[in-house]
Amino acid sequence: MQIRPFIEKLEKEHRLLHVSKDVGTDYEIAAYLKKYDGKPVIFDSVKGYSIKVVGNLMSNMDLFCEWLGIENENWIEALKYAIENPGSYEETEANPFQYYEPDLNILPILKHYPYDQGRYITSGVVFVNRKGLRNISFHRLAVIGEDRLVGRLVEQRDLHTIYMDAKEHGEDVDIAIAIGNSAGVLVAAATSVERGKYELNIAGSLEKENIKVVNAKTNSTHYPADSMIVLEGKILHDETAKEGPFVDLTNTYDIVREQPVFVIDKIAMQKDAIYQALLPGGNEHKILMG
């Protein structure tokens, strides 16, 4: 199920907690997400922004399975089936996005904890295309400029391997960072599979329908037509920056590392887009990483 219909379902069933007062992106929203961990929360009025923020959508196993549309006791078998029987995706000409110049300051990106490096995108799924090799995966991304992020690429995993190959050839890597995705895309992006198997096909199997994708305006990637916000850009082969500290899965601060820089060339947004937050070290983080 796509993210907007799931939010609407929770709203209709009075299971979505509304925070109506003005809240800030530095610590305040994260504090609410921590206080109500396990319960979906939407922030109707974010100081300095016209975009709402939603979080904790997959923060317990009941929500996880409900959003995927499977029975709780069958989720392992359902994921195993999707990996072994991948679905499909198809391009659509119905493009619902409006496009903006690359200014990350227009997005309510959160700062979660006092000693974090800064504001972090934590729910972004990175879509990659390098010479026909496609991959999607989660990566924490720290804002270091109005059009720049520094991202943690775990060594030997697919995106790190793709990046190292591009770096050796003096080439940048085409990427699109999708925020506010369907349950199938979120779960597939968090799942480790053999190299060369495209996770979006797994998402298609989980969703039980072809996923509609649109082609990026500025590079060779594509991304789901139902994603709320997408940052088109590239990973630079010749620029790195310090990344960290950041509260990781263990609820402790991860170390500072030199990591690749992502430059954003275009921002795509749905009308009335909602920014999806994911609390580092929270239940949602643990469920997806698990």
Side-chain angles (χ1 to χ4, degrees):
M1 185 187 295
Q2 299 170 5
I3 186 170
R4 198 186 296 274
F6 188 57
I7 293 171
E8 291 171 351
K9 181 178 187 293
L10 294 171
E11 177 74 74
K12 183 178 180 180
E13 296 171 1
H14 307 289
R15 293 190 289 145
L16 184 65
L17 175 66
H18 282 263
V19 176
S20 298
K21 74 168 190 173
D22 286 351
V23 289
T25 54
D26 284 7
Y27 314 127
E28 197 170 2
I29 290 176
Y32 274 103
L33 293 175
K34 192 172 186 68
K35 179 178 180 180
Y36 296 105
D37 203 359
K39 183 176 179 61
V41 186
I42 191 164
F43 301 88
D44 297 315
S45 181
V46 182
K47 292 177 183 176
Y49 299 93
S50 60
I51 300 171
K52 295 181 180 181
V53 173
V54 70
N56 290 353
L57 291 179
M58 202 177 270
S59 57
N60 65 56
M61 287 305 297
D62 289 338
L63 288 166
F64 175 89
C65 292
E66 179 184 354
W67 195 2
L68 280 173
I70 58 178
E71 298 297 325
N72 289 38
E73 61 270 20
N74 296 334
W75 76 267
I76 293 177
E77 190 61 34
L79 182 55
K80 180 176 182 289
Y81 179 87
I83 293 170
E84 295 174 349
N85 300 273
S88 58
Y89 61 87
E90 60 184 14
E91 293 181 9
T92 177
E93 295 182 2
N95 188 330
F97 293 99
Q98 298 173 332
Y99 293 87
Y100 302 87
E101 291 308 300
D103 182 3
L104 294 169
N105 294 313
I106 68 175
L107 302 178
I109 301 170
L110 307 186
K111 188 173 184 182
H112 303 89
Y113 297 101
Y115 298 108
D116 280 353
Q117 174 180 359
R119 297 187 297 146
Y120 266 91
I121 296 171
T122 51
S123 67
V125 173
V126 180
F127 285 72
V128 179
N129 182 29
R130 174 160 167 75
K131 299 179 178 178
L133 176 61
R134 294 187 184 272
N135 176 261
I136 67 173
S137 50
F138 277 98
H139 300 275
R140 68 193 196 216
L141 300 156
V143 178
I144 57 172
E146 69 175 22
D147 66 346
R148 271 169 165 68
L149 301 156
V150 57
R152 169 69 175 131
L153 304 189
V154 177
E155 293 75 11
Q156 306 308 315
R157 293 189 182 172
D158 284 358
L159 184 51
H160 181 265
T161 301
I162 292 168
Y163 163 73
M164 291 303 294
D165 178 69
K167 185 178 177 71
E168 289 175 10
H169 289 85
E171 298 169 357
D172 300 331
V173 180
D174 287 351
I175 58 98
I177 303 160
I179 302 166
N181 297 289
S182 68
V185 169
L186 292 172
V187 173
T191 302
S192 296
V193 293
E194 62 194 76
R195 190 157 294 154
K197 181 172 282 189
Y198 190 27
E199 295 86 354
L200 193 60
N201 290 322
I202 298 171
S205 183
L206 287 168
E207 299 281 349
K208 300 179 180 63
E209 63 181 2
N210 286 352
I211 291 179
K212 303 292 194 298
V213 299
V214 298
N215 291 319
K217 289 279 190 184
T218 60
N219 61 42
S220 67
T221 63
H222 59 215
Y223 42 84
D226 55 71
S227 299
M228 289 281 187
I229 301 166
V230 183
L231 313 177
E232 297 183 8
K234 49 189 169 285
I235 306 175
L236 302 177
H237 73 278
D238 57 354
E239 186 175 336
T240 61
K242 300 293 184 186
E243 188 278 322
F246 175 83
V247 171
D248 209 341
L249 190 67
T250 58
N251 275 300
T252 60
Y253 284 99
D254 201 0
I255 64 172
V256 177
R257 299 175 180 86
E258 196 74 17
Q259 293 289 284
V261 168
F262 293 53
V263 64
I264 307 306
D265 298 315
K266 190 72 70 176
I267 296 177
M269 277 200 289
Q270 301 266 6
K271 183 181 179 181
D272 299 323
I274 302 172
Y275 181 90
Q276 185 183 10
L278 193 155
L279 180 68
N283 287 340
E284 194 166 26
H285 190 186
K286 293 170 184 174
I287 287 170
L288 285 168
M289 286 294 287

